[in-house]
Amino acid sequence: MSGRSWDYQLYGLRLRTDRELPGLAALPPWGMADVTVTLAGNGGDPFPVPVSSWLHDLPPFPVWKAACPDGTYVRLRYASENDEMEFVLGPGGRRVWVSWSDHLLLEDVSSILFGPVLTCLAMLRGKTCLHGSVIALADRALAILGASGAGKSTLALACIRRGARLVSDDLVLLEEVPAGFAARCGSPALRLRPQTAEALWGSFESLRPIWSSPRAARYKRYLDLAGNDAGGQSAVPLAAIIVLGSRLPGAETASFEPLPPAPALATLMAHRPADFLSDREGHVRDFALLSRLASRIPINRLCWPDGFEGLDLLSERVLTECCPRA
C-alpha cells in the first residue's frame, strides 16, 4: 500500500479508503472520516475478529455477527458461482474491512460498498433508511418506494426527463429537521435495466457497467447524471412519498391512493432495507420516526399501466401533484 487515502462523500458520510475507487469523485482528505475502509483484496485476511467468534446469526442469509469487548461486528458475504467478496462492519458503523477473490475488480467492490453495505453502515450508525429512489424538483424531494423490479428507477428517470434532479438511487436516508424531514443526497448515478434504458434513454450498452463480468453487466448499468444531481446540497426537504403498487396490463390511466397514517406507517416499516441489522432499540427508533413522518408527509400508493407508453404524462402528473412549485 502507498499510505495514501481517498475521501468520498455520500449520504452525509465521509468515507476514507486506502485505494482509489471508480465511479465517484474523490475529495481532498481533511479532518476525521466518519467511516474508514480497508480494502485488503485477496492479499490476506483483513478481519479484526477471530474466525471462532463469528456466529451465523440469520441462516440462510450470509450474515454473521461477533460480540466483542468493543461492540458487535457484522460480516456480510456476497458470492456467485466462482467469486465472492466479504465485508466486516465494525461497531457503530465506523470501520469496514473488505476482501475479494481474484477475478473481481474494484468496480465490483465499489458497487456493493456504495450500495447495500453503505445502507448497512447507515443503519448501524442509527439512521432510518427506506428502500427507494429520490428525485427533486426545485427544493422539494419525492421519495419513490417499491420492491425490487417495481419500477422505481423507471419512474425516477421519467421525472428527470421532465426537469427533476436525482437525489439518490436505491436508498432513502431520512433525516428529521426542524421543518419536517429531508432525504440525504447520494451518488448522481441511476441503475437501469435494459428495457428502461432503451425506452427512456435510447441505449443500454453505452451506459457504465456496474459489474466487470460481461454476464452480470447484461442486467443493469449505471446512467451517470453528473450535473443533474442535487446541486451540491447535502439533503433536500422531503415533500411526499409514492409507494409503487401493481403494474396494470391493459390499463390506460394511473391511480393514486392516499394512505392514512396507520397503513402508511405499516407500509414504511415494510420498506426498510436490511432490517435484520436492527436491534430492539433500532426498531423502536425507526417506528417512532416513521410514525411522525406518516402523520406529516403525504404518502400515496401508485398503481400504473404496464409498459412505457404514457410515462411522460404520468411523470408530469407526479411532479405537479407531489412536488408542486412554491
Side-chain angles (χ1 to χ4, degrees):
M1 293 294 179
S2 64
R4 290 189 59 187
S5 63
W6 288 262
D7 281 18
Y8 302 92
Q9 187 84 12
L10 279 177
Y11 299 102
L13 295 175
R14 179 171 285 258
L15 282 73
R16 181 162 296 161
T17 69
D18 56 359
R19 298 194 195 188
E20 186 175 11
L21 293 176
L24 281 180
L27 303 173
W30 62 270
M32 295 291 292
D34 297 303
V35 182
T36 301
V37 182
T38 299
L39 295 156
N42 57 9
D45 186 358
F47 300 160
V49 177
V51 173
S52 59
S53 298
W54 293 111
L55 297 177
H56 196 185
D57 193 59
L58 289 163
F61 300 106
V63 179
W64 294 259
K65 292 183 180 180
C68 299
D70 58 339
T72 298
Y73 289 74
V74 177
R75 178 180 174 187
L76 307 171
R77 176 181 294 162
Y78 295 85
S80 62
E81 292 181 0
N82 302 312
D83 299 302
E84 68 175 35
M85 64 182 82
E86 291 197 343
F87 299 81
V88 170
L89 284 55
R94 296 181 295 273
R95 289 289 309 271
V96 183
W97 295 263
V98 192
S99 69
W100 60 92
S101 54
D102 289 339
H103 296 98
L104 297 176
L105 302 179
L106 282 175
E107 285 86 347
D108 305 308
V109 175
S110 63
S111 69
I112 299 296
L113 175 62
F114 294 137
V117 171
L118 187 58
T119 299
C120 295
L121 286 170
M123 295 180 68
L124 290 174
R125 296 176 67 89
K127 304 297 183 181
T128 299
C129 303
L130 297 171
H131 180 215
S133 299
V134 184
I135 53 96
L137 190 66
D139 62 346
R140 297 168 66 81
L142 168 68
I144 304 169
L145 310 184
S148 178
K152 299 181 294 297
S153 297
T154 297
L155 183 56
L157 181 54
C159 290
I160 289 168
R161 283 161 44 99
R162 305 292 291 185
R165 306 185 316 276
L166 179 66
V167 175
S168 66
D169 180 43
D170 215 39
L171 171 62
V172 185
L173 201 161
L174 295 168
E175 180 178 349
E176 195 163 12
V177 296
F181 294 87
R184 281 284 186 178
C185 298
S187 171
L190 197 60
R191 298 181 184 216
L192 297 180
R193 299 176 188 271
Q195 300 92 327
T196 298
E198 296 289 345
L200 301 183
W201 196 253
S203 172
F204 177 71
E205 294 299 324
S206 65
L207 303 184
R208 176 165 60 93
I210 295 175
W211 304 99
S212 61
S213 163
R215 179 180 178 183
R218 295 201 303 261
Y219 299 108
K220 279 189 177 182
R221 288 177 177 251
Y222 284 120
L223 170 59
D224 292 306
L225 292 166
N228 190 272
D229 58 8
Q233 296 173 277
S234 61
V236 182
L238 186 63
I241 295 175
I242 283 179
V243 181
L244 297 183
S246 303
R247 302 292 290 267
L248 305 174
E252 296 183 358
T253 60
S255 65
F256 288 83
E257 175 194 357
L259 295 180
L265 172 58
T267 299
L268 294 176
M269 289 292 290
H271 281 84
R272 294 180 301 154
D275 59 354
F276 56 81
L277 289 178
S278 294
D279 54 15
R280 183 180 184 279
E281 181 181 346
H283 289 302
V284 170
R285 179 193 63 243
D286 289 350
F287 186 89
L289 185 144
L290 294 176
S291 295
R292 296 190 294 273
L293 187 152
S295 66
R296 298 180 62 179
I297 300 293
I299 301 174
N300 287 275
R301 187 183 308 279
L302 170 61
C303 295
W304 48 325
D306 200 10
F308 298 99
E309 293 184 7
L311 263 179
D312 281 342
L313 291 177
L314 175 59
S315 58
E316 183 66 26
R317 180 182 174 190
V318 164
L319 293 174
T320 300
E321 294 186 13
C322 299
C323 292
R325 296 181 184 272

